[in-house]
Amino acid sequence: MRLSTRNQLDGTVVSVTRGEAMAVVRVRLTGGDEITSSITRDAVDDLDLAEGSVVKVLIKSTEVTLGIE
């Protein structure tokens, strides 16, 4: 599959926490950093995501906000 999304990061699922309608999926990237994604429970089931699943994190955003104190 080819995608127009330029921010593509390889990683491994370290946890899936299911809520009533949504799930929080935590992914360890190849560099060791971790990123969290909130997706539907249906998406978790459709992708068969579980701890240890190898995934590609795709980030496409129209806005990125930074803050400092």
Side-chain angles (χ1 to χ4, degrees), residues 7-30:
N7 300 309
Q8 299 184 20
L9 309 169
D10 295 318
T12 303
V13 174
V14 293
S15 68
V16 177
T17 305
R18 293 171 177 266
E20 216 171 294
M22 301 293 290
V24 176
V25 180
R26 196 156 183 79
V27 176
R28 181 168 295 118
L29 304 175
T30 53

Side-chain angles (χ1 to χ4, degrees), residues 32-66:
D33 292 322
E34 291 189 1
I35 192 164
T36 302
S37 177
S38 295
I39 62 176
T40 65
R41 286 180 54 142
D42 286 344
V44 169
D45 294 339
D46 290 346
L47 296 170
D48 197 25
L49 293 178
E51 187 176 328
S53 297
V54 175
V55 296
K56 188 168 292 281
V57 177
L58 305 172
I59 302 169
K60 186 150 185 141
S61 176
T62 57
E63 179 180 335
V64 176
T65 303
L66 302 175

